[in-house]
Amino acid sequence: DWKRKEQMKQYADEKRKATQHKLKIGDQVLVKQQKLDKLSTPYNPQPYTVIKQHGPMITAKTEDNELTRDN
């Protein structure tokens, strides 16, 4: 069962062209924001700094906000 599931994961990752992220602690990242109107930007202009990483889960922080995301 485990071997078959691993084969299915490999196939799905290959079809979706999945790649590992290259983020490290201390990197600055932009976070997508909800588009309110046609003039609003797709990303929050204030950069977040990566503070924690656990596998695909990343925690980033600004001065007043902290965000955790799983890739």
Side-chain angles (χ1 to χ4, degrees):
D1 183 51
W2 177 83
K3 186 177 179 183
R4 181 67 181 140
K5 286 181 180 179
E6 188 66 30
Q7 288 173 343
M8 289 188 297
K9 182 188 179 330
Q10 291 294 331
Y11 178 79
D13 288 348
E14 188 176 306
K15 284 294 183 186
R16 293 181 183 118
K17 296 179 176 40
T19 59
Q20 294 290 326
H21 63 78
K22 297 178 177 122
L23 296 175
K24 297 179 286 252
I25 294 176
D27 285 352
Q28 291 198 338
V29 295
L30 293 177
V31 177
K32 277 190 176 182
Q33 65 181 358
Q34 185 177 6
K35 196 164 175 88
L36 301 174
D37 57 19
K38 69 180 188 177
L39 298 177
S40 63
T41 60
Y43 295 97
N44 187 346
Q46 185 177 13
Y48 283 66
T49 303
V50 176
I51 58 170
K52 277 195 284 186
Q53 180 180 354
H54 184 265
M57 188 169 61
I58 293 178
T59 303
K61 183 177 182 177
T62 61
E63 293 172 354
D64 38 299
N65 196 12
E66 187 172 307
L67 178 76
T68 300
R69 169 147 191 221
D70 189 15
N71 285 344

